[in-house]
Every structure is written in C-alpha cells, then in structure tokens.
C-alpha cells in the first residue's frame, strides 16, 4: 500500500510538470507554486444498522464526536483567464476520528459501559479546484471563492483504539471515501513583491461516506469536514 501511494503521488506530480512545461514561454508567468498547512475538524455520527436484532441481550452502539486532524501539501496553480485559475496538487493528511460508544446488556444484570473509539490513519490525497479571485482591495489584498474536491485518496495502515470491539486491526472493519467535494472562500495578501499568504476556510462533504463497522447496533459515519487552509504562494 505504501509503495502504491508513493508511486501515485510521484506519477501525478511528474504529469503536472510535463503538462505545464508544454505551455509557451510567454504564458509561464501564469503558473504559480504554492504550499499549505491545514488544520481540520472531522465529524462522526452513528446510524442504526438495518439488520440489527432488536431483542439482542448484549449489544454495542455508537454516538457522535469530533476530532482534530491536519493536512500539508503543495500545489500548482494556473491562471486560465483574468481572475480565474485552476489548482491541482498532492496532499498528505493525518485523519483522526473519535466518537462515544456504549455497551449494553438487557438481561437481569443490566450491565452497561461507556467509552470512546479512536481511529487514526495517514492519507495521500489528490485535490483539484477552480478558483475565482476578485479585484485587489486597497492595501494589496483580495478575496477569492473556489470549488473542487479530492479526486483520489489512498490510506495507510490505521491505528485503532476501541473500547468494546474485539477484532484485529490487520483487517480494519471500515470503508473509506476515495473522493469528496469542497467549497471554500478566502482572503490573501502580498508579502513583499512575490509571495502571497492566504487563509481559506472550507467545507468538505463526501457523498460516499467513510464508515466504521465497530458496533453491533450502529454504524459510525464520517462524511463532513471543515478546516482552514493556511497558504503561501509564489507569484511567478
């Protein structure tokens, strides 16, 4: 898996370089390189399983939760029209999920327990987006809006810390979303004559949610993420 993820990232980066190296020299000033650091909030909620037996004497169920993750990456940005740009890059993200979980026994012992499940894994992501920048304001600042998402996502080996699940992490009982949609807005400002610093709050939604199959009565679902990208772009 690690070899596959690394190969995908290298192939994508080399493809971008090959694509943009074919642009005529007179248009090279439209191509910029940027980096970002992005704190993230990742949300989890639990949904009732359709096949759960209601008269089960001993069962586990999950609740909701939120945890902090982060992402770092680099991107290339190309201005296709005045104010309109395309962005593509490669990110490494540390995904962290946490949510409450309970165990219940419904016979005369009335046994119950409460805890927290935690799941952590690294992910390599390929994000793309379309960005529109408004005219510069007094003081060399400008606002922007954008839309896009992650078109490919590959994960590494997960770390599981669970209260009541007895399975093996060698075969983690979850499915992850390989793509997601994102909308964002932002503000950026020149630092000197070439470097541009920016803040881009965003909202991300995965139509095919990540699911954690750790409880007998519920399935934990993660499809929503918010964050703020702190960007630094070299204006070529």
């Amino acid at each position: 898996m690690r070899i596959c993820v690394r190969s995908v990232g290298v192939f994508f980066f080399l493809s971008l370089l090959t694509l943009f190296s074919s642009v005529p020299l007179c248009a090279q000033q439209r191509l910029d390189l940027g980096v970002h650091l992005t704190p993230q909030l990742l949300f989890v909620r639990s949904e009732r399983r359709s096949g759960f037996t209601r008269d089960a004497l001993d069962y586990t169920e999950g609740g909701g939760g939120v945890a902090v993750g982060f992402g770092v990456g680099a991107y290339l940005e190309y201005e296709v029209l005045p104010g309109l740009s395309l962005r593509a890059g490669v990110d490494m993200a540390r995904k962290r999920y946490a949510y409450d979980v309970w165990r219940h026994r419904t016979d005369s012992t009335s046994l119950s327990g409460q805890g927290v499940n935690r799941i952590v894994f690294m992910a390599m992501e390929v994000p793309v987006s379309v960005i529109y920048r408004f005219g510069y304001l007094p003081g060399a600042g400008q606002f922007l809006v954008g839309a896009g998402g992650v078109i490919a996502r590959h994960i590494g080996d997960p770390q599981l810390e669970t209260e009541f699940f007895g399975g093996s992490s060698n075969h983690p009982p979850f499915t992850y979303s390989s793509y997601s949609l994102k909308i964002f807005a932002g503000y950026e400002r020149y630092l000197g004559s070439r470097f541009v610093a920016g803040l881009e709050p965003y909202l991300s939604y995965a139509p095919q949610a990540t699911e954690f199959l750790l409880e007998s009565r519920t399935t934990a679902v993660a499809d929503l993420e918010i964050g703020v990208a702190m960007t630094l772009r070299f204006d070529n």
Side-chain angles (χ1 to χ4, degrees), residues 55-217:
D55 58 354
L57 294 179
D58 193 348
Y59 63 89
T60 57
E61 63 179 344
V66 59
V68 179
F70 68 89
V72 295
Y75 61 87
L76 293 173
E77 192 172 297
Y78 185 74
E79 185 181 33
V80 293
L81 293 172
L84 185 65
S85 300
L86 301 178
R87 179 188 292 178
V90 176
D91 293 351
M92 289 298 298
R94 183 171 176 83
K95 300 295 186 181
R96 300 177 67 248
Y97 299 92
Y99 63 96
D100 297 326
V101 62
W102 294 268
R103 181 179 182 180
H104 301 282
R105 189 172 179 87
T106 57
D107 60 7
S108 58
T109 63
S110 298
L111 177 67
S112 63
Q114 182 177 357
V116 177
N117 285 351
R118 295 180 175 86
I119 303 97
V120 181
F121 57 85
M122 297 297 295
M124 174 171 280
E125 303 176 337
V126 180
V128 298
S129 57
V130 179
I131 302 169
Y132 181 77
R133 290 182 171 86
F134 300 92
Y136 277 96
L137 303 172
Q142 67 178 343
F143 291 100
L144 61 90
V145 293
V150 172
I151 60 174
R153 178 182 289 117
H154 301 274
I155 72 168
D157 295 332
Q159 303 173 17
L160 304 179
E161 295 181 6
T162 63
E163 294 290 339
F164 309 115
F165 177 74
S168 170
S169 61
N170 292 329
H171 300 283
F174 70 87
T175 59
Y176 68 94
S177 174
S178 59
Y179 68 97
S180 56
L181 307 176
K182 182 173 77 170
I183 56 173
F184 58 96
Y187 175 80
E188 57 186 19
R189 184 182 180 91
Y190 270 90
L191 301 178
S193 60
R194 287 295 186 181
F195 288 96
V196 184
L199 291 176
E200 299 178 1
Y202 73 89
L203 171 66
S204 177
Y205 172 73
Q208 180 182 352
T210 295
E211 296 183 339
F212 305 110
L213 310 174
L214 302 174
E215 284 69 57
S216 60
R217 188 176 189 178

